[in-house]
Amino acid sequence: MEYIQSLLTDAAHLRMIYIIVLSIFVGIEVIEKVPTILHTPLMSGANAIHGVVIIGSIIVMGQAPADDILIQILGFLAVVFGTLNVVGGFVVTDRMLEMFKKKK
Amino acid sequence: MSNYALLNICYLIGSLGFIIGLKMLAKAETARKGNIIAAIGMAIAIFGTIFLYEFNGESGEIKHLGNLGWIFGGMVIGTILGTISAKKVQMTAMPQMVSIFNGMGGICAGLIGMIEFTHLANHSAGASLMTGHSLTILVGLIIGSISFAGSVIAFLKLNGNLGDYSFKGQSYFNMLFLAAVMVMAYYVMSINGAQATTMMYVLFIVACIYGVSFVMPIGGADMPVVISLLNSFTGVAAAFGGFLYHNQVMLTGGILVGAAGTLLTILMCNAMNRSLLNVIIGSFGGGNAATAITGENGGTIKEIGVSDSAINMSYAQKVIIVPGYGLAVAQAQHICHELEKQLTEKGVEVKYAIHPVAGRMPGHMNVLLAEADVSYDKLLEMDAANDEFATTDVVLILGANDVVNPAAKTNPASPIFGMPILEVEKAKTVIVNKRSMNKGYAGIDNDLFYSNKTRMLFGDAKKVLQELVNEVKAN
């Protein structure tokens, strides 16, 4: 209960809630008129964008204490997986869209 | 200017890159540029974090991120592996690839949750973990883990390594399972110290098993919907990370994908005229195939040879090609384009009818045909195609099945009843190329094959198309 209260009174929390609500509308708005032919590349592009989770892994890895091997290994793996998501996602999307381009 | 201010500028640029990128991705002319803009935004946000992020050390001093060698090492490995696998993948295997990259993001969110929770439990000094902070960590961990395990299963299924598996009452079992995961998260928060950390790892494993159990019963034809759903899960998991670190770019990126992914999932369900709940419960999968109707007038299919098919098409005025997964499997998109060119030279009007869920992903066929240089204006979406079939002489179906099954319109007992289909039976002649009389992905019989208008042309799509091209040339 206290936590819910803090979500609504703490300025930082409240700002994040506004970001969330507005981002939901933006997310729906920008893809609403997408033609069927672009569904696959769009899904793939969105897939790459949620790779932004890599920033969390960088923050975690950058603060991992030198004497905690387990945390370091987990953090390192998180960076590798996050990069795979970002790079693989964007490259695959670009490959798909490249085919659309050379139509003429 | 302070590092913090610069970092926030990086994050603002990153967020704008994502929004503009997504917007441009939704339009054919700008899509490729949109992808690059999103990637640039991502790069700015990532490198901004590495060099500008500051945090308070143990004694309150401001510190920069350490372990840069490990961070760059991990990024180099990820970049190399990601680029190679993305460049090497066959166009037919695209859905699997998206699924596995999605799983990578999911496990990344899961690992972040594990580390943060361990840190929290170690430093709580016996204080209660029943806080919003640890709840945020655990929810991110659970969603990320479910997305990871589910994506791996989706990958294995699409890759053909794994069949559908379901048992009676699995949907109820899964609901109970999910409730158990939540109860367990509550339990993890109620204990503290090293014990909580251990239980948190158990929670991770249980969440993964739930992810497996969630995707297992869902039929192969529904995999695109599942991948899209898991895609939005990972987005939400990333957003929980953003909430945790008060990180705007993670928050906007994650929520954008969570919202857009959910809408895309719904659009896909609409295209199949089914509800999301119906997909998740998996009533479409292997379980119902046995009760599906079989062709009443079965046994009277009429075969046609390659040369007769070629003559039929050469002397037609209008031919519409309906591509399906069979075309993708046979890698026949280039030779299909060749046939289209040959027929066009003979004065035949050739078009393609694309069902929204043909193949294994929406737009799958468009990607394949684009690879073969087929021009946009020859591709008809479903409604436009349905208007044209009545004036079409020959419809050539290449490895498509469920999307042309008239049972969807006529038989209320059929599991695909209500799904909009390509109404190919309005055309004068329908030539169906299939490898055999095997059923489609939904596992149901197709009355179209027994129709008087239909001629079956058996064989591998690539081989048959090659022979057709030769015959048309010779005519």
Side-chain angles (χ1 to χ4, degrees):
Chain A
M1 213 51 222
E2 229 172 276
Y3 182 63
I4 295 172
Q5 174 103 10
S6 87
L7 288 179
L8 298 170
T9 50
D10 179 71
H13 278 154
L14 207 53
R15 242 188 342 257
M16 289 198 288
I17 290 172
Y18 268 81
I19 293 179
I20 291 171
V21 173
L22 295 176
S23 296
I24 290 174
F25 280 96
V26 174
I28 291 172
E29 201 63 36
V30 290
I31 73 146
E32 206 176 32
K33 291 189 197 95
V34 61
T36 331
I37 56 163
L38 286 173
H39 276 185
T40 302
L42 180 72
M43 188 204 275
S44 180
N47 176 49
I49 289 175
H50 71 48
V52 73
V53 70
I54 189 189
I55 288 179
S57 71
I58 291 171
I59 294 174
V60 154
M61 188 63 207
Q63 300 185 22
D67 54 353
D68 198 332
I69 302 292
L70 178 68
I71 296 285
Q72 288 206 324
I73 293 173
L74 294 181
F76 177 71
L77 287 176
V79 173
V80 173
F81 291 138
T83 315
L84 266 169
N85 186 179
V86 171
V87 177
F90 281 123
V91 174
V92 153
T93 313
D94 190 63
R95 248 193 86 193
M96 287 184 203
L97 293 168
E98 184 185 24
M99 290 164 191
F100 283 92
K101 265 207 120 175
K102 60 177 187 188
K103 63 181 191 290
K104 272 168 197 144
Chain B
M1 213 185 302
S2 74
N3 282 344
Y4 186 57
L6 284 174
L7 181 61
N8 282 331
I9 292 176
C10 290
Y11 285 170
L12 189 60
I13 296 172
S15 302
L16 277 174
F18 295 161
I19 295 170
I20 295 168
L22 263 187
K23 176 97 191 159
M24 289 171 79
L25 266 168
K27 273 184 81 181
E29 309 85 68
T30 55
R32 198 170 178 203
K33 218 181 265 171
N35 185 51
I36 291 169
I37 288 177
I40 292 171
M42 181 72 81
I44 291 173
I46 289 174
F47 287 103
T49 307
I50 295 175
F51 295 113
L52 299 170
Y53 190 87
E54 290 167 341
F55 62 102
N56 292 326
E58 304 272 303
S59 49
E61 80 282 15
I62 290 175
K63 287 171 77 172
H64 280 278
L65 289 177
N67 296 325
L68 288 188
W70 286 105
I71 293 175
F72 281 118
M75 285 172 61
V76 169
I77 294 173
T79 304
I80 293 171
L81 287 179
T83 311
I84 291 175
S85 42
K87 289 261 184 206
K88 253 181 57 185
V89 63
Q90 296 274 329
M91 272 297 135
T92 38
M94 225 38 127
Q96 289 96 301
M97 208 67 224
V98 174
S99 180
I100 203 70
F101 286 141
N102 178 51
M104 296 293 106
I107 189 66
C108 182
L111 287 168
I112 293 169
M114 282 185 216
I115 296 169
E116 284 297 333
F117 191 84
T118 309
H119 182 79
L120 190 69
N122 288 347
H123 291 77
S124 63
S128 170
L129 292 174
M130 201 65 83
T131 59
H133 187 67
S134 61
L135 182 67
T136 310
I137 295 174
L138 288 181
V139 174
L141 178 133
I142 291 170
I143 300 175
S145 312
I146 293 174
S147 180
F148 161 67
S151 297
V152 171
I153 297 298
F155 169 83
L156 291 173
K157 277 192 167 197
L158 284 169
N159 224 15
N161 306 80
L162 210 61
D164 300 343
Y165 173 80
S166 62
F167 54 84
K168 226 179 158 193
Q170 184 156 10
S171 50
Y172 297 104
F173 174 79
N174 275 351
M175 272 182 247
L176 281 175
F177 202 157
L178 185 59
V181 172
M182 288 189 244
V183 170
M184 196 167 164
Y186 181 83
Y187 174 67
V188 171
M189 287 165 68
S190 70
I191 52 184
N192 51 35
Q195 205 191 349
T197 309
T198 314
M199 287 313 290
M200 178 271 299
Y201 285 111
V202 178
L203 176 66
F204 163 71
I205 293 165
V206 173
C208 282
I209 298 172
Y210 174 75
V212 172
S213 174
F214 175 73
V215 178
M216 262 335 253
I218 301 175
D222 285 334
M223 269 315 125
V225 179
V226 175
I227 295 175
S228 176
L229 188 65
L230 293 173
N231 197 20
S232 61
F233 278 10
T234 314
V236 174
F240 270 96
F243 207 82
L244 188 64
Y245 298 117
H246 290 230
N247 187 305
Q248 288 85 347
V249 77
M250 285 175 81
L251 208 54
T252 43
I255 294 290
L256 271 179
V257 176
T262 307
L263 176 64
L264 198 55
T265 311
I266 292 169
L267 289 178
M268 287 182 205
C269 288
N270 288 349
M272 297 190 293
N273 198 30
R274 295 182 332 115
S275 73
L276 185 55
L277 191 69
N278 193 254
V279 170
I280 292 169
I281 287 175
S283 63
F284 207 41
N288 265 20
T291 60
I293 46 99
T294 48
E296 300 293 312
N297 44 357
T300 54
I301 57 159
K302 294 166 221 50
E303 277 197 61
I304 188 171
V306 170
S307 53
D308 283 349
S309 307
I311 290 170
N312 257 332
M313 286 191 281
S314 301
Y315 293 101
Q317 294 215 311
K318 180 150 82 177
V319 172
I320 293 186
I321 299 174
V322 178
Y325 190 62
L327 176 96
V329 177
Q331 286 286 310
Q333 62 271 31
H334 295 281
I335 189 70
C336 181
H337 180 49
E338 182 62 30
L339 177 67
E340 171 216 317
K341 279 196 289 193
Q342 291 295 334
L343 287 171
T344 310
E345 268 176 35
K346 295 221 178 285
V348 184
E349 186 185 359
V350 185
K351 286 181 177 165
Y352 295 84
I354 314 287
H355 191 279
V357 294
R360 287 292 179 273
M361 265 181 143
H364 196 181
M365 290 301 122
N366 307 76
V367 172
L368 280 176
L369 293 175
E371 188 197 2
D373 284 339
V374 174
S375 74
Y376 283 141
D377 42 317
K378 291 204 179 287
L379 307 184
L380 298 173
E381 293 206 9
M382 184 170 57
D383 291 338
N386 282 341
D387 290 341
E388 291 210 16
F389 283 129
T391 57
T392 304
D393 302 299
V394 180
V395 169
L396 176 64
I397 298 177
L398 298 169
N401 190 346
D402 299 326
V403 297
V404 292
N405 192 340
K409 278 197 318 188
T410 55
N411 190 334
S414 170
I416 61 166
F417 182 69
M419 177 172 100
I421 55 160
L422 290 167
E423 293 157 359
V424 292
E425 72 277 14
K426 285 200 252 167
K428 289 195 189 100
T429 310
V430 180
I431 299 175
V432 180
N433 167 239
K434 272 170 70 60
R435 274 189 297 195
S436 66
M437 277 307 284
N438 282 344
K439 288 169 180 146
Y441 223 69
I444 48 182
D445 215 340
N446 193 338
D447 277 343
L448 176 72
F449 303 153
Y450 306 104
S451 152
N452 280 330
K453 285 180 177 176
T454 307
R455 300 290 179 271
M456 303 300 290
L457 179 58
F458 290 114
D460 174 77
K462 195 171 193 170
K463 205 170 134 270
V464 166
L465 280 166
Q466 184 62 60
E467 289 167 10
L468 278 175
V469 168
N470 296 342
E471 287 284 340
V472 170
K473 265 187 196 161
N475 267 328

